[in-house]
Amino acid sequence: MADHLHVVAPADPEPAPLLRQLLGDTLRSARRRQERTLKDVAERAGVSMTYLSEIERGQKEASSEVVGAVTRALGGNLVDLLTEMTTRAIPAPAPATHPGGDKVAMRAVA
């Protein structure tokens, strides 16, 4: 009798957000941290308030020019924006568990 290796695929994780959703969430979060209004940021970026709102809600694909203008209006640059988007896109690692089911605190070892 031949041995068969059965590979069980892990359950599909939640699908990754669309780029426009990740961008919108990141821009909205930055604006809210600064306690600024849609109107203020839209005016400084040279876009309509409605369009900026649609971008923040992930309903519109913004051009690179608009992304740059909004990012600058928020006092940032493209590297800052992409870094924050990357941080948001990478899921936090699950805590390690002890064979008994208890969570194990991880710490750096010198």
Side-chain angles (χ1 to χ4, degrees):
M1 185 186 267
D3 290 326
H4 293 286
L5 177 64
H6 294 286
V7 177
V8 178
D12 287 336
E14 185 175 320
L18 296 173
L19 181 60
R20 70 174 183 254
Q21 292 168 325
L22 184 59
L23 172 66
D25 287 345
T26 305
L27 292 174
R28 176 174 280 173
S29 176
R31 179 178 60 78
R32 287 181 172 171
R33 278 194 310 269
Q34 296 177 16
E35 299 181 355
R36 295 182 56 199
T37 64
L38 272 169
K39 182 179 180 187
D40 173 48
V41 175
E43 285 176 355
R44 288 183 183 266
V47 299
S48 75
M49 218 170 57
T50 302
Y51 187 51
L52 179 56
S53 176
E54 290 171 330
I55 293 168
E56 284 188 352
R57 289 180 283 135
Q59 295 180 336
K60 294 286 184 181
E61 297 275 358
S63 69
S64 59
E65 290 84 0
V66 169
V67 172
V70 173
T71 301
R72 286 188 300 277
L74 291 166
N77 61 49
L78 189 58
V79 172
D80 297 330
L81 175 67
L82 294 175
T83 299
E84 185 168 344
M85 288 175 65
T86 301
T87 301
R88 289 172 171 268
I90 298 172
T97 57
H98 185 272
D102 297 328
K103 290 183 181 177
V104 177
M106 301 298 289
R107 59 186 161 159
V109 177

